[in-house]
Amino acid sequence: MRAEQSVHKEALHRTGVLEEERRAGDGPRNSCRDAFRVLVTALRPGSASRAARRAVRDTLARAGVPEEGIGDAEIIVAELAANSEKHARGPYELRIHCLSGIPVWCEMVDGERELGEIPDLLARLHTTPAGPETGLSFAESGRGLLLAHKLSDGHCYAYPTTMSSGAGAGKAVAFALPAPV
């Protein structure tokens, strides 16, 4: 659904182009050329991490992002997608925000309305160095957020949002994407 078409009342802010709306052969580079566009990919439970990694890799590679940056973004999105599947209900979607053809922001969105501890943990990561002595470590709990925070140079946030599919309220955990060379 494109922004100029009618959308569900709950999703009036949406500017996204759903994966199924992209023309055949209209890869991420072509579909990301407008001044501002959001590429939306619906993710299926059980394969969300794999599909999210592929979408991020394809989009960043076509934009000319170096391999190291692509790898970091893949790690972040895989961790966030796994967190969504483990701790939140669906639907799940990946949104890649592009500005003048350059992917700049990525959101992992799920159907869970509550942000829970996520904003507090991210706030602590901004003010407290990670390590076992501070309680902020690479332990199993919070690992995905810690990786997202570290690999995005602290540009990771969580906020309420509306599902692009019109399925109602949800939450996004988002991070800045690496820049192309």
Side-chain angles (χ1 to χ4, degrees), residues 31-42:
S31 59
C32 204
R33 286 214 175 137
D34 292 345
F36 179 76
R37 183 161 287 183
V38 181
L39 305 177
V40 181
T41 303

Side-chain angles (χ1 to χ4, degrees), residues 3-120:
E4 62 270 14
Q5 296 174 333
S6 62
V7 295
H8 294 280
K9 189 176 183 179
E10 302 87 34
L12 287 177
H13 74 283
R14 182 166 111 53
T15 342
V17 178
L18 298 173
E19 183 176 36
E20 62 267 16
E21 295 174 317
R22 297 180 203 145
R23 295 183 310 261
D26 188 19
R29 181 178 198 134
N30 293 333
S31 59
C32 204
R33 286 214 175 137
D34 292 345
F36 179 76
R37 183 161 287 183
V38 181
L39 305 177
V40 181
T41 303
L43 304 173
R44 286 189 217 136
S47 63
S49 290
R50 186 172 42 256
R53 285 179 76 129
R54 185 176 55 249
V56 165
R57 171 167 282 289
D58 291 349
T59 302
L60 295 179
R62 290 176 195 267
V65 173
E67 189 61 37
E68 180 181 337
I70 293 172
D72 287 351
E74 279 186 294
I75 291 169
I76 295 169
V77 80
E79 288 287 336
L80 296 180
N83 283 352
S84 287
E85 284 192 288
K86 183 175 181 179
H87 301 291
R89 60 187 172 91
Y92 308 106
E93 63 187 31
L94 181 74
R95 299 179 191 165
I96 300 174
H97 297 250
C98 301
L99 185 59
S100 299
I102 299 172
V104 294
W105 193 246
C106 185
E107 296 175 317
M108 181 59 218
V109 181
D110 59 53
E112 191 66 44
R113 296 170 188 254
E114 299 299 320
L115 295 175
E117 300 175 358
I118 298 170
D120 291 336

Side-chain angles (χ1 to χ4, degrees), residues 149-164:
H149 174 79
K150 287 288 188 191
L151 294 176
S152 68
D153 294 324
H155 300 289
C156 180
Y157 304 92
Y159 41 83
T161 191
T162 302
M163 301 300 296
S164 295

